[in-house]
Amino acid sequence: MQPDPPGADPIESVEVGVELEVPTVRLVAGGDALGRTADGRVVLVEGALPGERVVAEVVEVRPRLLRARTVEVVAGAPERVEPTCPELARGCGGCDLPYAAAADQPSLKAEVVRDALRRIARLDDVEVDPGRPLPAVGYRTTVRAAVREGHAGFRARRSHEVVVVGGCEVAHPTAAELLVDGVFDGAEEVVVRVGARTGERMVVVHPTAAGVSVPADVRVVGTDELRRGRRAWIHEEVAGHRFRISAASFFQARPDGAEALVAAVRRSLDDPAADAEFVDLYGGVGLFSVALDVRAPVLVERSAAAVADARVNLSDRQPRLLKMAVRRWRPTPTDVLVADPARAGLGTEGVAAVAGSGAGRVALVSCDPASLARDVAALGTVGYRATRVELVDLFPQTHHVEAVTTLELVEPDRRQVAV
Ligand SMILES: C[S@@+](CC[C@H](N)C(=O)[O-])C[C@H]1O[C@@H](n2cnc3c(N)ncnc32)[C@H](O)[C@@H]1O
């Protein structure tokens, strides 16, 4: 591990607004760079990369931790670039890593994952492959935006203020157009969803779509209508398969990224045979079950909308669709299992479900490095060893990243141990 460099000049007392010169060491989960003051206090610096020296304004003071914001780069890292998005200068906080070259972002994120594995799971021998960069602009097919006075925008960094945008570099062009030209009177939030490969578009508006004005091709639905049982969906194509995606169902935020995730899961599970016993835990609308071409997957998912979509998407297979929370699932024995939980990770109940299935091989899909490390540590207590992590950088220009961890059952006797 790289040692921390000497800290900045000693400081008598620090308060909000003070400017410090800080050497930064590494990127941490959340996208800030970690540095230290000369008296050993940790400073998390927004807008800085590892190995830089920046002048940073303190924005929060805690007993053993400061948060600060870069105001000047004294010595920049080789990965530093000038951001291209004009909305940044207007205060948009939608992207938090635009000052790192897109090609370098996967390896910066891989370092965050390695660090989480070292610190949280106490593992420093797991290979972490940064994966291949995906296009860094025009990619997002699902975009959640806030609304101010009828117009869509994004929150300023660490603020509730909504910056109405005149464009969005990372949104798919058909989504960006809706964000900019759509009128959403009476709304607080809008989720724009588009099928990049089908051309279908939808806006999901909270709390009501009564004041919405968008082009005629766009499906419009309010969250009040969804609560009353209305259904609305679009379709997307991934890996040669067509998926129905309802307004309330989760789907990966870009089809090329979904394909890259499927490919990483396929590698992780060693290309499961069509007749393999296969469990798709937190299965959503069936992305992995469909795209991995397994004949009779068991899919566990608690969202009614997603299970209804999975029924359509898997209509040419013989799936067992279990609409329930993972904690209620009574695990059935299986050869292979993919688990793709929400940001909080598997937790105790997910780990128990994996262990109970006795799967010889598991692909864990994580969207948060700290959850990944916690889950890997917990799975270690029930006999699973992580052998490899492959990143899929679904969200360039932001600190977010997806990771597929391969786990093998090396101690079958331990898998019933309570967690
Ligand atoms: C990250 S998404 C993954 C979905 C799917 N694997 C995909 O790639 O499209 C997580 C899914 O887990 C579901 N979910 C979250 N918590 C759950 C729980 N405790 N039990 C069952 N499903 C859950 C969500 O509704 C969501 O569909």
Side-chain angles (χ1 to χ4, degrees):
M1 205 185 314
Q2 199 187 350
D4 292 359
D9 296 337
I11 38 174
E12 293 293 306
S13 68
V14 183
E15 49 192 46
V16 170
V18 163
E19 290 188 0
L20 304 170
E21 193 170 309
V22 186
T24 55
V25 187
R26 61 177 172 273
L27 218 54
V28 294
D32 291 343
L34 183 145
R36 274 183 202 280
T37 62
D39 61 359
R41 271 199 275 185
V42 168
V43 196
L44 296 181
V45 189
E46 178 190 317
L49 294 171
E52 296 195 314
R53 199 164 186 99
V54 299
V55 176
E57 179 192 349
V58 174
V59 294
E60 188 185 334
V61 179
R62 295 201 214 156
R64 296 184 52 81
L65 176 97
L66 305 174
R67 287 189 179 278
R69 182 177 60 209
T70 300
V71 291
E72 186 194 334
V73 179
V74 180
E79 297 90 353
R80 183 168 280 275
V81 293
E82 199 52 47
T84 53
C85 180
E87 302 303 327
L88 268 177
R90 299 173 55 204
C92 177
C95 295
D96 54 16
L97 209 55
Y99 44 85
D104 292 321
Q105 290 178 19
S107 46
L108 287 166
K109 295 176 190 186
E111 206 36 63
V112 175
V113 171
R114 285 186 198 107
D115 190 54
L117 283 170
R118 268 193 304 259
R119 283 166 202 280
I120 299 171
R122 306 276 167 219
L123 290 173
D124 56 10
D125 58 351
V126 181
E127 179 198 350
V128 179
D129 178 348
R132 278 191 222 107
L134 291 164
V137 294
Y139 64 82
R140 272 201 88 123
T141 51
T142 299
V143 185
R144 182 179 296 275
V147 176
R148 198 184 79 199
E149 292 164 8
H151 295 281
F154 299 103
R155 308 250 175 227
R157 193 102 164 102
R158 298 195 198 288
S159 159
H160 291 297
E161 188 205 337
V162 177
V163 179
V164 171
V165 290
C168 177
E169 272 196 4
V170 296
H172 188 272
T174 59
E177 182 189 82
L178 274 180
L179 285 172
V180 175
D181 296 341
V183 176
F184 307 102
D185 281 337
E188 293 165 13
E189 189 180 91
V190 58
V191 179
V192 172
R193 303 190 86 167
V194 302
R197 292 160 179 183
T198 60
E200 295 178 21
R201 305 197 284 181
M202 172 165 64
V203 290
V204 186
V205 191
H206 180 74
T208 168
V212 171
S213 170
V214 289
D217 70 283
V218 181
R219 256 146 269 191
V220 178
V221 62
T223 53
D224 52 348
E225 297 172 285
L226 291 178
R227 264 201 314 280
R228 292 197 295 269
R230 193 184 144 196
R231 302 295 308 274
W233 52 73
I234 57 166
H235 296 89
E236 181 60 291
E237 285 168 15
V238 174
H241 299 275
R242 184 176 165 88
F243 289 85
R244 186 181 94 174
I245 306 157
S246 287
S249 302
F250 173 90
F251 199 67
Q252 304 294 343
R254 55 190 298 174
D256 58 351
E259 262 156 18
L261 261 187
V262 168
V265 169
R266 189 186 288 284
R267 279 189 284 279
S268 172
L269 296 180
D270 209 10
D271 205 356
D275 61 356
E277 288 171 339
F278 178 86
V279 171
D280 193 349
L281 217 51
Y282 310 89
V285 306
L287 173 69
F288 296 121
S289 292
V290 172
L292 291 174
D293 294 310
V294 279
R295 201 170 297 139
V298 174
L299 182 146
V300 185
E301 164 62 50
R302 74 175 174 196
S303 153
V307 172
D309 291 336
R311 198 172 301 287
V312 172
N313 299 333
L314 285 159
S315 58
D316 61 346
R317 318 282 174 88
Q318 293 98 49
R320 269 188 73 208
L321 302 177
L322 305 175
K323 196 210 94 46
M324 59 173 64
V326 163
R327 79 184 144 71
R328 292 188 41 235
W329 180 52
R330 298 183 129 184
T332 40
T334 189
D335 299 330
V336 289
L337 179 147
V338 58
D340 183 9
R343 186 159 302 278
L346 294 173
T348 311
E349 62 201 45
V351 171
V354 173
S357 78
R361 210 168 170 112
V362 172
L364 172 66
V365 183
S366 314
C367 58
D368 180 79
S371 303
L372 180 164
R374 277 195 301 272
D375 288 345
V376 164
L379 286 167
T381 68
V382 290
Y384 284 90
R385 188 186 64 199
T387 55
R388 185 167 183 271
V389 181
E390 180 174 341
L391 301 195
V392 181
D393 193 6
L394 242 70
F395 307 101
Q397 317 296 17
T398 79
H399 73 275
H400 296 285
V401 70
E402 296 281 329
V404 178
T405 305
T406 302
L407 295 122
E408 285 169 11
L409 183 59
V410 290
E411 294 175 90
D413 295 346
R414 296 178 67 185
R415 69 189 166 86
Q416 298 299 347
V417 173
V419 287

